[in-house]
Amino acid sequence: QAEDGIRDKLVTGVQTCALPICWMTTGYGLDCPIASALDVIGERWSLLILRDLFRFGPRRFVDLQVSLKGIAPNTLSARLKTLEAQGVVAGHMYERHPPRLEYRLTAKGKELGPVLKALYNWGERHGPKAGAAAANDALPVTRRGTARG
């Protein structure tokens, strides 16, 4: 019966057994530092939000929405709330009516700088553009500088 309660929570999101619902619906539930880090910053768009906060400093919601082409407002809001709840970013009110927030990295968030730099470097070395450049370098070149084919 406990398995049925767990399955119900996975499908409906309603708590039906003694296990905490947040364990069942979010995160990896693994005793691993990498999994714990991904529980905080591993959702789609989260790292790009952090990238923009590192690159540009404090940003307003609308600024993040413009720079993150394709993100839905509800998704951006959810990611910011998660990052804020985890202490990675902090929202500071800059207007009361209507309430508007500006988001900035916390000290905990700033500790992710080397992680983002490492991802950036890895992406430059192994991302799709790096693969295309390596393929182009392998093409034989004529005297005019055009690839023979």
Side-chain angles (χ1 to χ4, degrees):
Q1 264 190 0
E3 287 178 342
D4 289 338
I6 292 170
R7 187 177 58 248
D8 288 346
K9 283 175 34 175
L10 287 170
V11 174
T12 65
V14 176
Q15 187 167 356
T16 58
C17 68
L19 294 173
I21 192 158
C22 61
W23 180 83
M24 297 305 297
T25 58
T26 62
Y28 291 93
L30 299 174
D31 185 23
C32 166
I34 293 174
S36 297
L38 289 174
D39 287 344
V40 176
I41 61 167
E43 290 183 301
R44 185 172 183 195
W45 298 105
S46 293
L47 287 170
L48 296 177
I49 292 168
L50 295 173
R51 175 204 64 187
D52 281 5
L53 293 174
F54 273 103
R55 287 175 64 199
F56 305 116
R59 305 288 282 166
R60 296 176 178 185
F61 186 93
V62 68
D63 298 328
L64 289 166
Q65 199 172 14
V66 167
S67 68
L68 300 171
K69 303 278 188 240
I71 191 169
N74 61 325
T75 301
L76 177 56
S77 180
R79 296 304 176 268
L80 288 168
K81 285 179 184 174
T82 298
L83 292 169
E84 198 170 12
Q86 294 291 338
V88 176
V89 301
H92 298 277
M93 192 173 294
Y94 68 88
E95 192 174 302
R96 291 202 183 278
H97 297 291
R100 304 227 187 256
L101 298 174
E102 178 179 75
Y103 297 91
R104 58 187 66 173
L105 294 166
T106 62
K108 183 177 176 180
K110 289 176 184 176
E111 289 181 34
L112 290 164
V115 174
L116 269 73
K117 182 66 175 168
L119 284 170
Y120 177 89
N121 291 336
W122 188 91
E124 281 213 320
R125 284 192 309 275
H126 304 291
K129 288 183 180 179
N136 287 337
D137 288 345
L139 292 174
V141 178
T142 65
R143 283 188 204 173
R144 291 184 178 161
T146 58
R148 285 185 261 166

Coordinates of all heavy atoms in Angstrom, one line a residue, residues 51-111:
R51 N 23.8 33.2 -15.5 CA 24.7 33.8 -16.4 C 24.5 35.3 -16.6 O 25.4 36.1 -16.5 CB 24.6 33.1 -17.8 CG 25.5 33.7 -18.9 CD 24.9 33.4 -20.2 NE 23.6 34.0 -20.5 CZ 22.8 33.8 -21.5 NH1 23.2 33.0 -22.5 NH2 21.7 34.4 -21.6
D52 N 23.2 35.6 -16.8 CA 22.9 37.0 -17.0 C 23.2 37.9 -15.8 O 23.6 39.0 -15.9 CB 21.4 37.2 -17.4 CG 21.2 36.9 -18.9 OD1 22.2 36.5 -19.6 OD2 20.1 37.1 -19.4
L53 N 22.9 37.3 -14.6 CA 23.2 38.1 -13.4 C 24.7 38.3 -13.2 O 25.1 39.3 -12.7 CB 22.5 37.4 -12.2 CG 21.0 37.4 -12.1 CD1 20.5 36.6 -11.0 CD2 20.4 38.8 -12.1
F54 N 25.5 37.3 -13.6 CA 26.9 37.4 -13.5 C 27.4 38.5 -14.5 O 28.2 39.3 -14.3 CB 27.6 36.1 -13.8 CG 27.8 35.3 -12.5 CD1 27.0 34.2 -12.2 CD2 28.8 35.6 -11.6 CE1 27.2 33.5 -11.1 CE2 29.0 34.9 -10.4 CZ 28.2 33.8 -10.2
R55 N 26.9 38.4 -15.8 CA 27.3 39.3 -16.8 C 26.9 40.7 -16.6 O 27.7 41.6 -16.9 CB 26.8 38.8 -18.2 CG 27.4 37.5 -18.7 CD 26.8 37.0 -19.9 NE 26.9 37.9 -21.0 CZ 26.1 37.9 -22.1 NH1 25.2 37.0 -22.2 NH2 26.3 38.8 -23.1
F56 N 25.7 40.9 -16.2 CA 25.1 42.3 -16.2 C 24.9 42.9 -14.8 O 24.5 44.0 -14.7 CB 23.8 42.3 -17.0 CG 24.0 41.8 -18.4 CD1 23.3 40.7 -18.8 CD2 24.8 42.5 -19.3 CE1 23.4 40.2 -20.1 CE2 24.9 42.0 -20.6 CZ 24.2 40.8 -21.0
G57 N 25.0 42.1 -13.8 CA 24.7 42.5 -12.4 C 23.2 42.5 -12.2 O 22.5 41.7 -12.9
P58 N 22.7 43.2 -11.2 CA 21.3 43.2 -10.9 C 20.4 43.4 -12.1 O 20.7 44.3 -13.0 CB 21.1 44.3 -9.9 CG 22.5 44.4 -9.3 CD 23.4 44.2 -10.4
R59 N 19.3 42.6 -12.2 CA 18.5 42.7 -13.4 C 17.0 42.7 -13.0 O 16.6 42.0 -12.0 CB 18.7 41.5 -14.3 CG 20.1 41.2 -14.8 CD 20.5 42.2 -15.8 NE 20.0 41.9 -17.1 CZ 20.0 42.7 -18.1 NH1 20.5 43.9 -18.0 NH2 19.4 42.3 -19.2
R60 N 16.2 43.4 -13.7 CA 14.8 43.4 -13.5 C 14.2 42.2 -14.3 O 14.8 41.7 -15.2 CB 14.2 44.7 -13.9 CG 14.7 45.9 -13.1 CD 14.1 47.2 -13.6 NE 14.6 48.3 -12.7 CZ 14.2 49.5 -12.9 NH1 13.4 49.9 -13.8 NH2 14.7 50.4 -12.0
F61 N 13.0 41.8 -13.8 CA 12.3 40.7 -14.5 C 12.2 40.9 -16.0 O 12.6 40.0 -16.8 CB 10.9 40.6 -13.9 CG 10.1 39.4 -14.4 CD1 10.1 38.2 -13.7 CD2 9.4 39.5 -15.6 CE1 9.4 37.1 -14.1 CE2 8.6 38.4 -16.0 CZ 8.7 37.2 -15.3
V62 N 11.8 42.1 -16.4 CA 11.7 42.4 -17.8 C 13.0 42.3 -18.6 O 13.1 41.8 -19.7 CB 11.0 43.7 -18.1 CG1 11.8 44.9 -17.7 CG2 10.5 43.9 -19.5
D63 N 14.1 42.7 -17.9 CA 15.4 42.6 -18.6 C 15.8 41.2 -18.8 O 16.3 40.8 -19.8 CB 16.5 43.3 -17.7 CG 16.2 44.8 -17.5 OD1 15.7 45.4 -18.4 OD2 16.6 45.3 -16.4
L64 N 15.5 40.3 -17.8 CA 15.8 38.9 -17.9 C 14.9 38.3 -19.0 O 15.4 37.5 -19.8 CB 15.6 38.2 -16.6 CG 16.6 38.5 -15.5 CD1 16.1 38.0 -14.2 CD2 17.9 37.8 -15.9
Q65 N 13.7 38.7 -19.1 CA 12.8 38.1 -20.1 C 13.3 38.5 -21.5 O 13.2 37.7 -22.4 CB 11.4 38.7 -19.9 CG 10.3 37.9 -20.5 CD 8.9 38.3 -20.1 OE1 8.7 39.4 -19.5 NE2 7.9 37.5 -20.4
V66 N 13.8 39.7 -21.7 CA 14.3 40.1 -23.0 C 15.5 39.4 -23.4 O 15.7 38.9 -24.5 CB 14.5 41.6 -23.0 CG1 15.3 42.1 -24.2 CG2 13.2 42.4 -22.9
S67 N 16.4 39.2 -22.4 CA 17.7 38.5 -22.8 C 17.6 37.0 -22.9 O 18.4 36.4 -23.6 CB 18.8 38.9 -21.7 OG 18.5 38.3 -20.5
L68 N 16.6 36.4 -22.3 CA 16.4 35.0 -22.4 C 15.2 34.7 -23.4 O 14.1 34.4 -23.0 CB 16.0 34.4 -21.0 CG 17.1 34.6 -19.9 CD1 16.6 34.2 -18.6 CD2 18.3 33.8 -20.3
K69 N 15.6 34.8 -24.6 CA 14.6 34.6 -25.7 C 13.9 33.2 -25.6 O 14.6 32.2 -25.4 CB 15.2 34.7 -27.1 CG 15.9 36.0 -27.3 CD 15.0 37.1 -27.8 CE 15.8 38.3 -28.2 NZ 15.5 39.5 -27.4
G70 N 12.6 33.2 -25.6 CA 11.8 32.0 -25.6 C 11.4 31.6 -24.2 O 10.6 30.6 -24.1
I71 N 11.8 32.2 -23.1 CA 11.3 31.8 -21.8 C 9.9 32.4 -21.6 O 9.7 33.6 -21.8 CB 12.3 32.2 -20.7 CG1 11.9 31.6 -19.4 CG2 12.4 33.7 -20.5 CD1 12.9 31.7 -18.3
A72 N 9.0 31.6 -21.1 CA 7.7 32.1 -20.8 C 7.7 32.9 -19.4 O 8.5 32.5 -18.5 CB 6.7 30.9 -20.6
P73 N 6.9 33.9 -19.3 CA 6.9 34.7 -18.0 C 6.7 33.8 -16.8 O 7.3 34.0 -15.8 CB 5.8 35.7 -18.2 CG 5.6 35.8 -19.7 CD 6.0 34.5 -20.2
N74 N 5.8 32.8 -16.9 CA 5.5 32.0 -15.7 C 6.7 31.1 -15.4 O 7.0 30.8 -14.2 CB 4.2 31.2 -15.9 CG 4.3 30.2 -17.1 OD1 4.9 30.6 -18.1 ND2 3.7 29.1 -17.0
T75 N 7.4 30.7 -16.4 CA 8.6 29.9 -16.2 C 9.7 30.7 -15.5 O 10.4 30.3 -14.6 CB 9.2 29.3 -17.5 OG1 8.1 28.5 -18.0 CG2 10.4 28.4 -17.3
L76 N 9.9 31.9 -16.1 CA 10.9 32.8 -15.5 C 10.6 33.1 -14.0 O 11.5 33.0 -13.1 CB 11.0 34.1 -16.3 CG 12.0 35.2 -15.7 CD1 13.4 34.7 -15.6 CD2 12.0 36.4 -16.6
S77 N 9.4 33.4 -13.7 CA 8.9 33.7 -12.4 C 9.2 32.5 -11.5 O 9.7 32.6 -10.4 CB 7.4 34.0 -12.4 OG 7.0 34.3 -11.1
A78 N 8.8 31.3 -11.9 CA 9.1 30.0 -11.1 C 10.5 29.8 -10.9 O 10.9 29.5 -9.8 CB 8.5 28.8 -11.9
R79 N 11.4 30.0 -11.9 CA 12.8 29.8 -11.7 C 13.4 30.8 -10.7 O 14.2 30.5 -9.8 CB 13.6 29.9 -13.0 CG 13.3 28.9 -14.0 CD 13.4 27.4 -13.5 NE 13.0 26.5 -14.5 CZ 11.8 26.0 -14.6 NH1 10.8 26.3 -13.7 NH2 11.5 25.1 -15.5
L80 N 13.0 32.1 -10.8 CA 13.4 33.1 -9.9 C 13.0 32.8 -8.5 O 13.8 32.9 -7.5 CB 13.0 34.5 -10.3 CG 13.7 35.1 -11.6 CD1 12.9 36.3 -12.1 CD2 15.1 35.4 -11.3
K81 N 11.8 32.3 -8.3 CA 11.3 32.0 -7.0 C 12.1 30.8 -6.4 O 12.4 30.8 -5.2 CB 9.8 31.6 -7.0 CG 8.9 32.8 -7.1 CD 7.4 32.4 -7.2 CE 6.6 33.7 -7.5 NZ 5.2 33.4 -7.7
T82 N 12.4 29.8 -7.2 CA 13.2 28.7 -6.7 C 14.6 29.1 -6.3 O 15.1 28.8 -5.3 CB 13.3 27.6 -7.8 OG1 12.0 27.1 -8.1 CG2 14.2 26.5 -7.4
L83 N 15.2 29.9 -7.2 CA 16.6 30.4 -6.9 C 16.6 31.3 -5.7 O 17.5 31.3 -4.9 CB 17.2 31.2 -8.1 CG 17.5 30.3 -9.3 CD1 17.8 31.2 -10.6 CD2 18.6 29.3 -9.1
E84 N 15.5 32.1 -5.5 CA 15.4 32.9 -4.3 C 15.2 32.1 -3.1 O 15.8 32.3 -2.0 CB 14.3 33.9 -4.5 CG 14.3 35.1 -3.6 CD 13.3 36.2 -4.0 OE1 12.4 35.9 -4.8 OE2 13.4 37.3 -3.4
A85 N 14.3 31.1 -3.1 CA 14.1 30.2 -2.0 C 15.3 29.4 -1.6 O 15.5 29.1 -0.4 CB 13.0 29.2 -2.3
Q86 N 16.2 29.1 -2.5 CA 17.4 28.4 -2.2 C 18.6 29.4 -1.8 O 19.7 28.9 -1.5 CB 17.9 27.6 -3.5 CG 16.9 26.5 -3.8 CD 16.9 25.4 -2.8 OE1 17.9 25.2 -2.1 NE2 15.9 24.6 -2.8
G87 N 18.3 30.7 -1.8 CA 19.3 31.6 -1.3 C 20.4 31.9 -2.3 O 21.4 32.5 -2.0
V88 N 20.1 31.6 -3.6 CA 21.1 31.9 -4.7 C 20.9 33.3 -5.2 O 21.9 34.0 -5.6 CB 21.0 30.8 -5.8 CG1 21.9 31.1 -7.0 CG2 21.2 29.5 -5.2
V89 N 19.7 33.8 -5.3 CA 19.4 35.2 -5.7 C 18.5 35.8 -4.7 O 17.9 35.1 -3.9 CB 18.8 35.3 -7.2 CG1 19.6 34.7 -8.2 CG2 17.4 34.7 -7.2
A90 N 18.6 37.1 -4.7 CA 17.7 37.9 -3.8 C 16.9 38.9 -4.6 O 17.5 39.5 -5.5 CB 18.5 38.6 -2.7
G91 N 15.7 39.0 -4.4 CA 14.9 40.0 -5.0 C 14.7 41.3 -4.1 O 14.4 41.1 -3.0
H92 N 15.0 42.4 -4.7 CA 14.9 43.7 -4.0 C 13.8 44.5 -4.7 O 13.9 44.8 -5.9 CB 16.2 44.4 -4.0 CG 17.3 43.7 -3.3 ND1 17.4 43.7 -1.9 CD2 18.2 42.8 -3.7 CE1 18.4 42.9 -1.6 NE2 18.9 42.4 -2.7
M93 N 12.8 45.0 -3.9 CA 11.7 45.8 -4.5 C 12.3 47.2 -4.9 O 12.9 47.9 -4.1 CB 10.6 45.9 -3.5 CG 9.3 46.5 -4.1 SD 7.9 46.4 -3.0 CE 7.7 44.7 -2.7
Y94 N 12.0 47.5 -6.1 CA 12.4 48.9 -6.6 C 11.1 49.7 -6.8 O 11.2 50.9 -7.1 CB 13.3 48.8 -7.8 CG 12.6 48.3 -9.1 CD1 12.0 49.2 -9.9 CD2 12.7 47.0 -9.4 CE1 11.4 48.7 -11.1 CE2 12.1 46.5 -10.6 CZ 11.5 47.4 -11.4 OH 10.9 46.9 -12.6
E95 N 10.0 49.1 -6.8 CA 8.7 49.8 -7.0 C 7.6 49.1 -6.2 O 7.5 47.9 -6.2 CB 8.3 49.9 -8.5 CG 7.2 50.8 -8.8 CD 7.0 50.9 -10.3 OE1 8.0 51.3 -11.0 OE2 5.9 50.7 -10.8
R96 N 6.8 49.9 -5.5 CA 5.8 49.3 -4.6 C 4.5 49.0 -5.3 O 3.8 48.0 -5.0 CB 5.6 50.1 -3.4 CG 6.8 50.1 -2.4 CD 6.3 50.5 -1.0 NE 7.4 50.6 -0.1 CZ 8.0 49.5 0.5 NH1 7.5 48.3 0.3 NH2 9.0 49.7 1.3
H97 N 4.0 50.0 -6.1 CA 2.7 49.8 -6.8 C 2.9 50.0 -8.3 O 3.1 51.1 -8.8 CB 1.8 50.9 -6.3 CG 1.5 50.7 -4.8 ND1 0.8 49.7 -4.3 CD2 1.9 51.5 -3.8 CE1 0.7 49.8 -3.0 NE2 1.4 50.9 -2.6
P98 N 2.8 49.0 -9.1 CA 2.7 47.6 -8.6 C 4.1 47.1 -8.1 O 5.1 47.7 -8.5 CB 2.3 46.8 -9.9 CG 2.8 47.7 -11.0 CD 2.8 49.1 -10.5
P99 N 4.1 46.1 -7.3 CA 5.4 45.6 -6.8 C 6.3 45.1 -7.9 O 5.8 44.3 -8.7 CB 5.0 44.5 -5.8 CG 3.5 44.2 -6.0 CD 2.9 45.3 -6.8
R100 N 7.5 45.6 -8.0 CA 8.4 45.2 -9.0 C 9.8 44.9 -8.3 O 10.2 45.6 -7.4 CB 8.6 46.3 -10.0 CG 7.3 46.7 -10.7 CD 7.5 46.8 -12.2 NE 6.3 47.3 -12.8 CZ 5.4 46.6 -13.4 NH1 5.6 45.3 -13.5 NH2 4.4 47.1 -14.0
L101 N 10.4 43.8 -8.7 CA 11.6 43.4 -8.1 C 12.8 43.4 -9.0 O 12.7 43.3 -10.2 CB 11.5 41.9 -7.6 CG 10.5 41.7 -6.5 CD1 10.4 40.2 -6.2 CD2 10.8 42.5 -5.2
E102 N 14.0 43.7 -8.5 CA 15.2 43.6 -9.2 C 16.0 42.4 -8.5 O 16.0 42.3 -7.3 CB 16.0 44.9 -9.0 CG 17.4 44.9 -9.7 CD 18.1 46.2 -9.5 OE1 18.6 46.4 -8.4 OE2 18.1 47.0 -10.5
Y103 N 16.6 41.5 -9.3 CA 17.2 40.3 -8.8 C 18.7 40.5 -8.9 O 19.2 41.0 -9.8 CB 16.7 39.1 -9.6 CG 15.3 38.9 -9.4 CD1 14.3 39.5 -10.3 CD2 14.8 38.2 -8.3 CE1 13.0 39.3 -10.1 CE2 13.4 38.0 -8.1 CZ 12.5 38.5 -9.0 OH 11.2 38.4 -8.9
R104 N 19.4 40.0 -7.8 CA 20.8 40.1 -7.8 C 21.3 38.8 -7.1 O 20.6 38.1 -6.4 CB 21.3 41.3 -7.1 CG 20.8 41.4 -5.6 CD 21.2 42.8 -5.0 NE 20.5 43.8 -5.8 CZ 20.5 45.1 -5.5 NH1 21.1 45.5 -4.4 NH2 19.8 46.0 -6.2
L105 N 22.6 38.5 -7.4 CA 23.2 37.3 -6.8 C 23.5 37.5 -5.3 O 23.9 38.6 -4.9 CB 24.5 37.0 -7.5 CG 24.4 36.5 -8.9 CD1 25.8 36.6 -9.6 CD2 23.8 35.1 -9.0
T106 N 23.3 36.5 -4.5 CA 23.7 36.5 -3.1 C 25.1 36.0 -3.0 O 25.7 35.6 -4.0 CB 22.8 35.6 -2.3 OG1 23.0 34.3 -2.7 CG2 21.3 36.0 -2.4
A107 N 25.7 36.0 -1.8 CA 27.0 35.5 -1.7 C 27.1 34.0 -2.1 O 28.0 33.6 -2.8 CB 27.5 35.6 -0.2
K108 N 26.0 33.3 -1.8 CA 25.9 31.9 -2.2 C 25.9 31.8 -3.7 O 26.5 30.9 -4.3 CB 24.7 31.3 -1.5 CG 24.4 29.8 -1.8 CD 23.2 29.4 -1.0 CE 22.8 27.9 -1.3 NZ 21.6 27.5 -0.5
G109 N 25.1 32.7 -4.3 CA 25.0 32.7 -5.8 C 26.4 33.0 -6.4 O 26.7 32.4 -7.4
K110 N 27.1 33.9 -5.8 CA 28.4 34.3 -6.4 C 29.4 33.2 -6.4 O 30.3 33.2 -7.2 CB 28.9 35.6 -5.7 CG 28.1 36.8 -6.0 CD 28.6 38.0 -5.2 CE 27.7 39.2 -5.5 NZ 28.1 40.4 -4.7
E111 N 29.2 32.3 -5.4 CA 30.1 31.1 -5.4 C 30.0 30.2 -6.6 O 30.9 29.4 -6.9 CB 29.8 30.3 -4.1 CG 30.3 30.9 -2.8 CD 30.0 30.1 -1.6 OE1 30.1 28.8 -1.7 OE2 29.7 30.6 -0.6

